Amino acid sequence: MTAEPEVPGAPAHAAAPEPDGVTDGLMDKVVNLCKRRGFIFQSAEIYGGFRSTYDYGPLGVNMLRNVKNAWWRSMVQLRDDVVGIDAAILSPSSVWEASGHLRNFTDPLVECRQCHSRWRADKLTGPCPNCGSTDFTEARPFNLMFKTHAGPIEDEGAIAYLRPETAQGMFVNFANVLQTTRKRPPFGIAQIGKSFRNEITPQNFVFRTREFEQMEMEYFVPPDEGQKWHEYWINERYRWYLELGMPPDKMRLRPHGADELSHYSSATSDLEYLFPWGWDELEGIANRTDYDLRRHAEASGAHLDYFDPTTGERYYPHVIEPAGGVTRTMMAFLLAAYDEDEVGGEARTVLHLHHRLAPYQVAVLPLSKKEQLETMAREVLHQLQPHFMCDYDVTQSIGRRYRRHDEIGTPWCVTVDFDSLDDRAVTIRERDTTAQVRVPVDVLVAELRSRAGED
Ligand code: ATP
C-alpha cells in the first residue's frame, strides 16, 4: 500500500510544509502505521488490491465512529434546532435531474497525448504527472456519478444512481421533516453516510477516494438571513476541529473565487488543513440559497416552501451547508497527531489524539499473566467498558505495551500489579506526559471520566 495509489506526485495546491524530522516522510509513516496497526487496509488486498478503495480495520472503525459521534454530538445532540435523517444511497434519475447533478456534477477531464493517462484538468499544475508531457487533449466535462440499474431489466426506466452527496436526501425529505418535527426556520437536518464519486484521479490515500463517507447538515433559514448564518456556521465548524485538537497553525479558511463555485452555491468557504502536499480542503461551508428546494418543488410538484404563521408569508428557505468528509477528517487528525519523541532515552512513536477520537480510550494491562492478576484486571476491564472503549492486553513487557498504546493514541493505560491485589489500587499512566498515578479501583471510573471531561 502506498500513499499514492494512482497518481505519482500529487499536484500541490500550495507549498508543502518544510520537513523537520517528524513531518519528513510523514505521509508514508502514517500510511504504514495505519496498515501495520489495523486502522486502514487496501481493499481486496489478497487479490492485488482494488485501487483507491480502502477497508477500515479494528482500530480504524473505532476512530471513524468517534469522528462521526463527535460531529453528531456537536451538530445534533447538543442543539435544539437540528434533527437527523438517514436517507437511501440509491436514488432515481429524477432527483439528480432536478438537483442539476446530471448536467453539472462534472470535473474537467483531459488526456495526455503521450501516455494516454487521464487527469482532472483543474488539479494539474502543468506537465503530465505520469510522463512529463505538456500535450493534453481539450478538457471535456466528465460526470462523476456512478450509474446503475435497479431491478432485473436494464432499460432507461431502471437507471438509478449512487448518491454523490448526502445533501439531496435532506432536500427531498424537507416537507416530511417539517411536518413530523414541527421545526421552523432557522433549523437544520443532518446526515452522515456514504457517498460515491467516480473521481478521475483518486489520490493521497483516503483523502480522495471513489467511495467515502460524508457528514453534512442543511440549515434552512429565512432568505434575508443567509449571510448571517453562513458566517455563524463557518465559525462553529472551525471551532469543532480546534476543540478536537487540530493545531490552529495547520488550519485556515479559504473563500472560493467566483469561478470555482458549485452550480448551486452563491458563496462557499473551505476549511483547509495543511496536508503534507500543501493546503487542501477538509470541509466546505456553502450558501446553497433556495436553489435545491425550488428545483425539487418545480420538478416534483411538491410544496417545499415554508408558511410562516407569525407573518403570514410563504417563502423558500435559504440553505447553509457545512459539508465535511469523515474519512478525510480522520486522516487529517491522524496526520496532525503523529509524533516521534523520546521517553527515558528510548525513541517512541505517539499519536496525540484527542481522547474522544482515539480508537481506545483505555488499555487495561495486567503486569503478568498470573491468574490472580488477570482475574482482577478483567474485573477492572468490566468496570470500565460501559464508559470507555477499552483494550485488554497481556502480551509482552509492560514497556512494550505502553509503546504499543502510545503508537495507536490510547490516552490512558491502567496497570494492575501485584500490589493491586492487596491495596485494591491500580496505576493510571498518561500517554502524553507518561506520568503515573496510583488510584483506588473504587474511584477509577470517576477519575478517568473526570480526566475525559465527562463530569
Ligand atoms: P474536491 O474539490 O476536493 O473534489 P468538493 O469541493 O467537490 O471536493 P464537496 O462536494 O464540498 O467536495 O464535499 C464535501 C466534503 O466531502 C469534502 O470537503 C470532503 O471532505 C468530502 N469529500 C468529497 N469528495 C471526496 C472524495 N472523493 N473522497 C473523500 N472525501 C471526499
Side-chain angles (χ1 to χ4, degrees):
M1 188 161 59
T2 64
E4 302 277 354
E6 287 200 340
V7 184
H13 288 183
E18 287 288 311
D20 66 2
V22 174
T23 53
D24 195 10
L26 175 64
M27 188 72 178
D28 284 342
K29 290 177 185 172
V30 170
V31 170
N32 288 337
L33 191 151
C34 281
K35 182 179 162 116
R36 193 161 35 80
R37 301 307 314 273
F39 281 86
I40 302 175
F41 305 124
Q42 176 76 62
S43 195
E45 196 172 13
I46 60 168
Y47 290 102
F50 188 40
R51 284 186 133 191
S52 43
T53 307
Y54 297 94
D55 298 339
Y56 290 75
L59 299 188
V61 73
N62 283 354
M63 186 164 173
L64 268 190
R65 256 170 210 269
N66 291 343
V67 170
K68 290 186 272 191
N69 287 345
W71 188 88
W72 197 261
R73 177 183 158 87
S74 142
M75 301 297 275
V76 182
Q77 187 182 339
L78 296 180
R79 304 189 64 100
D80 58 9
D81 57 349
V82 180
V83 294
I85 62 164
D86 192 8
I89 289 172
L90 209 53
S91 36
S93 308
S94 46
V95 168
W96 306 108
E97 179 67 51
S99 71
H101 281 76
L102 276 177
R103 208 166 342 114
N104 298 316
F105 198 63
T106 58
D107 277 338
L109 171 71
V110 291
E111 187 177 322
C112 171
R113 286 204 169 95
Q114 284 292 328
C115 69
H116 301 289
S117 58
R118 292 178 175 195
W119 304 97
R120 194 172 142 181
D122 60 328
K123 301 276 180 191
L124 269 183
T125 44
C128 171
N130 196 36
C131 72
S133 160
T134 50
D135 190 10
F136 294 103
T137 57
E138 279 289 295
R140 68 173 173 89
F142 173 78
N143 197 293
L144 299 180
M145 284 199 294
F146 278 97
K147 198 188 214 177
T148 185
H149 291 92
I153 301 167
E154 295 198 356
D155 65 8
E156 273 290 300
I159 289 176
Y161 292 89
L162 300 188
R163 66 182 178 196
E165 60 172 28
T166 63
Q168 296 306 319
M170 276 79 104
F171 299 127
V172 300
N173 280 296
F174 176 71
N176 285 337
V177 173
L178 209 57
Q179 278 153 20
T180 52
T181 64
R182 312 217 146 262
K183 294 279 178 214
R184 38 178 309 184
F187 83 100
I189 310 179
Q191 178 171 204
I192 298 177
K194 288 242 168 155
S195 293
F196 300 81
R197 295 182 188 178
N198 198 4
E199 297 280 0
I200 299 166
T201 46
Q203 61 192 168
N204 292 327
F205 197 35
V206 296
F207 177 81
R208 186 183 305 287
T209 48
R210 294 195 172 111
E211 172 178 348
F212 56 97
E213 251 182 314
Q214 289 187 303
M215 6 188 222
E216 298 193 297
M217 196 270 290
E218 310 305 317
Y219 198 72
F220 301 91
V221 305
D224 56 354
E225 293 183 16
Q227 197 184 335
K228 175 179 105 181
W229 286 108
H230 193 208
E231 283 162 25
Y232 169 87
W233 280 109
I234 289 170
N235 290 331
E236 277 298 292
R237 295 302 306 143
Y238 211 139
R239 201 163 54 84
W240 183 81
Y241 290 95
L242 298 183
E243 278 177 8
L244 287 171
M246 210 56 114
D249 61 336
K250 289 249 162 85
M251 284 203 67
R252 75 173 189 191
L253 181 72
R254 190 184 66 83
H256 279 208
D259 56 336
E260 48 171 340
L261 290 174
S262 314
H263 63 274
Y264 49 72
S265 167
S266 72
T268 296
S269 284
D270 285 347
L271 291 179
E272 293 190 333
Y273 178 75
L274 188 53
F275 286 94
W277 59 90
W279 291 100
D280 220 331
E281 175 177 339
L282 265 185
E283 165 161 352
I285 299 136
N287 182 345
R288 291 180 82 126
T289 68
D290 56 2
Y291 175 87
D292 301 270
L293 288 179
R294 270 189 195 278
R295 295 288 299 234
H296 284 301
E298 279 161 25
S300 66
H303 291 291
L304 299 179
D305 52 355
Y306 173 72
F307 175 71
D308 186 341
T310 55
T311 61
E313 266 181 79
R314 270 190 180 282
Y315 64 84
Y316 284 97
H318 281 220
V319 174
I320 307 304
E321 175 197 73
V326 180
T327 37
R328 196 178 277 193
T329 297
M330 169 174 158
M331 179 177 154
F333 277 122
L334 283 171
L335 287 164
Y338 185 93
D339 196 12
E340 290 164 2
D341 63 7
E342 266 189 23
V343 174
E346 205 188 307
R348 73 162 179 173
T349 298
V350 53
L351 291 183
H352 296 290
L353 287 172
H354 190 282
H355 64 268
R356 273 192 206 283
L357 299 179
Y360 296 117
Q361 278 84 54
V362 186
V364 176
L365 315 175
L367 196 62
S368 89
K369 284 184 181 159
K370 288 257 158 37
E371 196 184 329
Q372 274 176 307
L373 274 193
E374 282 231 51
T375 307
M376 183 171 172
R378 287 201 181 272
E379 247 174 61
V380 169
L381 174 72
H382 296 149
Q383 241 184 55
L384 291 167
Q385 275 174 328
H387 308 278
F388 301 100
M389 184 60 79
C390 299
D391 188 37
Y392 182 78
D393 191 354
V394 283
T395 54
Q396 297 189 313
S397 75
I398 195 73
R400 272 242 158 88
R401 281 182 271 167
Y402 284 153
R403 289 301 102 76
R404 244 192 343 249
H405 277 282
D406 289 341
E407 197 185 27
I408 62 170
T410 309
W412 300 293
C413 288
V414 170
T415 308
V416 180
D417 57 28
F418 290 101
D419 290 342
S420 308
L421 300 174
D422 297 327
D423 65 3
R424 300 287 303 163
V426 290
T427 302
I428 300 177
R429 186 256 192 192
E430 209 265 340
R431 175 197 66 203
D432 293 342
T433 59
T434 71
Q436 303 192 6
V437 290
R438 194 102 183 136
V439 174
V441 171
D442 290 351
V443 298
L444 181 61
V445 167
E447 169 62 26
L448 287 172
R449 280 175 65 86
S450 117
R451 287 184 185 215
E454 306 277 323
D455 50 17

